[in-house]
Amino acid sequence: MHEPAGSPGARRAAARPVLDAVGLCCERGERRLFMGVSFRLQAGDMLQIRGPNGSGKSSLLRLLCGLAQPAAGHVDLFGRALVQQRGALASRLLWIGHAAGVKALLTVEENLAWLGALHTPGACAAIGPAVAAVGLRGFEDTPCHALSAGQQRRIALARLYLPGTPPLWLLDEPFTALDRAGAAQLEVHLAAHCARGGTVVLTTHHDLTRRAQAYTDLDLGQYVA
């Protein structure tokens, strides 16, 4: 049964994909982690990547953000090959890796100033609300080496609350070191980003209780070579 041309489902099917992964194969050294991974994501989609340790979840995210190249297959971002968009990636996707990625000698505010500038130059005025959103109000001038692992993780995640963030978020284990309240808040924020037309790809061992309406679960273990 075909949907009417003007229906939401038909418009969604006709929209240009945000992210298109085609036949991806990943090798690490002489070991092949996975092969034949394909999926297509539209605005509003959330993709959760699962799999056992060593199946290549983080490696897949690195392929999707251009930090590594696939042994086979390709990635398209907004209808163009990812490899052709090196200069524009910072305005199109936001990558937060498994590590917090903060500078230990810089303060919370200084870290967010340079992290935010990767995507939105001049976003310093919004740092205060972003810090408050992740529960770190009052720590703005604290050097990051004096913070706990969970607090450092919150600094990295505060980037998601800055204005002008790219539409595509690629997040590697974003719930690591967060307490229950922090994890619940992040779930709500990710779902809200998708509801506004953003797209989220994440790896996590955390059981999501709040998901985007358009949610897909990808078991990478099925693609192990």
Side-chain angles (χ1 to χ4, degrees):
M1 180 176 179
H2 296 286
E3 296 189 63
S7 69
R11 290 195 298 270
R12 176 181 170 80
R16 182 178 61 175
V18 172
L19 190 65
D20 208 353
V22 182
L24 295 181
C25 174
C26 179
E27 296 178 350
R28 182 186 298 161
E30 297 182 356
R31 180 188 170 210
R32 179 170 292 177
L33 299 181
F34 57 77
M35 62 183 300
V37 174
S38 298
F39 55 84
R40 173 173 290 182
L41 300 177
Q42 307 279 11
D45 284 352
M46 177 182 289
L47 175 68
Q48 181 176 355
I49 302 170
R50 299 181 184 272
N53 291 337
S55 60
K57 299 183 296 296
S58 296
S59 295
L60 176 55
L61 283 187
R62 291 177 65 85
L63 297 183
L64 299 180
C65 69
L67 291 176
Q69 297 301 313
H74 67 273
V75 178
D76 291 345
L77 181 64
F78 294 102
R80 289 183 55 212
L82 184 69
V83 295
Q84 298 176 358
Q85 302 186 58
R86 296 295 187 190
L89 289 184
S91 65
R92 297 198 154 196
L93 64 84
L94 187 156
W95 151 261
I96 297 180
H98 187 270
V102 300
K103 304 295 185 183
L105 295 180
L106 298 183
T107 66
V108 170
E109 188 172 70
E110 289 168 342
N111 265 284
L112 282 177
W114 77 264
L115 287 170
L118 295 175
H119 308 288
T120 310
C124 292
I127 289 177
V131 170
V134 296
L136 290 179
R137 186 188 297 277
F139 289 89
E140 291 86 348
D141 296 325
T142 303
C144 289
H145 65 77
L147 301 177
S148 69
Q151 289 172 319
Q152 291 188 26
R153 191 62 177 169
R154 287 171 182 259
I155 297 170
L157 294 172
R159 296 169 63 189
L160 304 178
Y161 292 85
L162 293 173
T165 58
L168 173 61
W169 295 354
L170 303 175
L171 311 176
D172 193 4
E173 296 289 350
F175 296 96
T176 298
L178 293 183
D179 57 23
R180 183 175 299 179
Q185 179 186 16
L186 179 58
E187 284 192 26
V188 171
H189 190 59
L190 298 183
H193 178 65
C194 292
R196 293 190 296 267
T199 304
V200 173
V201 181
L202 73 158
T203 69
T204 181
H205 294 286
H206 174 80
D207 290 327
L208 296 174
T209 59
R210 180 75 176 266
R211 302 170 175 174
Q213 184 174 1
Y215 169 85
T216 303
D217 191 296
L218 175 68
D219 182 0
L220 201 55
Q222 297 179 0
Y223 297 90
V224 174

Short mmCIF file of all heavy atoms in Angstrom, two decimals, residues 22 31 35 38 55 57 90 94 108 138 156 160 167 177 184:
data_model
loop_
_atom_site.label_atom_id
_atom_site.label_comp_id
_atom_site.label_asym_id
_atom_site.label_seq_id
_atom_site.Cartn_x
_atom_site.Cartn_y
_atom_site.Cartn_z
N VAL A 22 27.02 2.57 3.20
CA VAL A 22 26.81 1.55 2.17
C VAL A 22 27.94 0.52 2.20
O VAL A 22 29.10 0.84 1.92
CB VAL A 22 26.74 2.19 0.77
CG1 VAL A 22 26.48 1.12 -0.30
CG2 VAL A 22 25.66 3.27 0.71
N ARG A 31 43.04 -7.93 11.23
CA ARG A 31 41.76 -8.48 11.64
C ARG A 31 40.61 -7.69 11.03
O ARG A 31 40.61 -6.47 11.05
CB ARG A 31 41.64 -8.44 13.16
CG ARG A 31 40.33 -9.00 13.68
CD ARG A 31 40.19 -8.77 15.16
NE ARG A 31 38.85 -9.10 15.61
CZ ARG A 31 38.23 -8.52 16.63
NH1 ARG A 31 38.85 -7.58 17.32
NH2 ARG A 31 37.02 -8.87 16.97
N MET A 35 31.80 -6.44 8.23
CA MET A 35 31.68 -6.18 6.79
C MET A 35 30.21 -6.15 6.41
O MET A 35 29.35 -6.74 7.08
CB MET A 35 32.42 -7.26 5.99
CG MET A 35 31.90 -8.67 6.15
SD MET A 35 32.88 -9.90 5.23
CE MET A 35 32.66 -9.26 3.55
N SER A 38 25.24 -1.59 6.25
CA SER A 38 24.54 -0.57 5.47
C SER A 38 23.33 -0.07 6.24
O SER A 38 22.62 -0.86 6.86
CB SER A 38 24.08 -1.13 4.12
OG SER A 38 25.16 -1.54 3.31
N SER A 55 33.57 -5.80 18.74
CA SER A 55 32.85 -5.96 17.48
C SER A 55 33.01 -4.77 16.55
O SER A 55 32.63 -4.84 15.37
CB SER A 55 31.36 -6.21 17.75
OG SER A 55 30.78 -5.12 18.45
N LYS A 57 32.20 -1.24 17.42
CA LYS A 57 31.22 -0.16 17.57
C LYS A 57 31.89 1.22 17.46
O LYS A 57 31.42 2.09 16.71
CB LYS A 57 30.49 -0.29 18.90
CG LYS A 57 29.71 -1.58 19.06
CD LYS A 57 28.94 -1.64 20.36
CE LYS A 57 29.82 -1.63 21.59
NZ LYS A 57 30.69 -2.83 21.69
N ALA A 90 32.75 20.08 10.49
CA ALA A 90 32.50 20.68 11.80
C ALA A 90 31.13 21.36 11.86
O ALA A 90 30.55 21.48 12.94
CB ALA A 90 33.58 21.69 12.15
N LEU A 94 28.63 16.52 14.91
CA LEU A 94 29.29 16.69 16.20
C LEU A 94 29.66 15.31 16.70
O LEU A 94 28.80 14.44 16.85
CB LEU A 94 28.37 17.41 17.18
CG LEU A 94 28.95 17.81 18.54
CD1 LEU A 94 28.17 18.98 19.13
CD2 LEU A 94 28.95 16.66 19.53
N VAL A 108 36.53 24.64 33.23
CA VAL A 108 35.31 24.19 32.56
C VAL A 108 34.92 25.18 31.47
O VAL A 108 34.62 24.80 30.34
CB VAL A 108 34.17 24.03 33.58
CG1 VAL A 108 32.84 23.81 32.88
CG2 VAL A 108 34.47 22.89 34.54
N GLY A 138 28.61 26.77 38.98
CA GLY A 138 29.51 27.01 40.09
C GLY A 138 30.90 26.43 39.88
O GLY A 138 31.82 26.73 40.64
N ALA A 156 32.06 17.44 28.38
CA ALA A 156 31.99 17.05 26.98
C ALA A 156 30.56 17.11 26.47
O ALA A 156 30.28 17.62 25.38
CB ALA A 156 32.57 15.66 26.80
N LEU A 160 26.45 19.60 23.65
CA LEU A 160 25.14 19.31 23.06
C LEU A 160 24.10 20.37 23.41
O LEU A 160 23.01 20.39 22.82
CB LEU A 160 24.64 17.94 23.53
CG LEU A 160 25.57 16.75 23.26
CD1 LEU A 160 24.96 15.48 23.83
CD2 LEU A 160 25.85 16.60 21.77
N PRO A 167 23.47 19.26 12.99
CA PRO A 167 22.27 18.43 13.08
C PRO A 167 22.54 16.97 13.40
O PRO A 167 21.70 16.28 13.96
CB PRO A 167 21.63 18.58 11.70
CG PRO A 167 22.76 18.95 10.79
CD PRO A 167 23.69 19.77 11.62
N ALA A 177 30.02 6.99 33.03
CA ALA A 177 30.35 7.75 34.25
C ALA A 177 29.25 8.71 34.69
O ALA A 177 29.44 9.46 35.65
CB ALA A 177 31.65 8.54 34.07
N ALA A 184 19.32 10.10 32.76
CA ALA A 184 17.92 10.36 32.41
C ALA A 184 17.78 11.68 31.66
O ALA A 184 17.04 11.79 30.68
CB ALA A 184 17.06 10.36 33.67
#
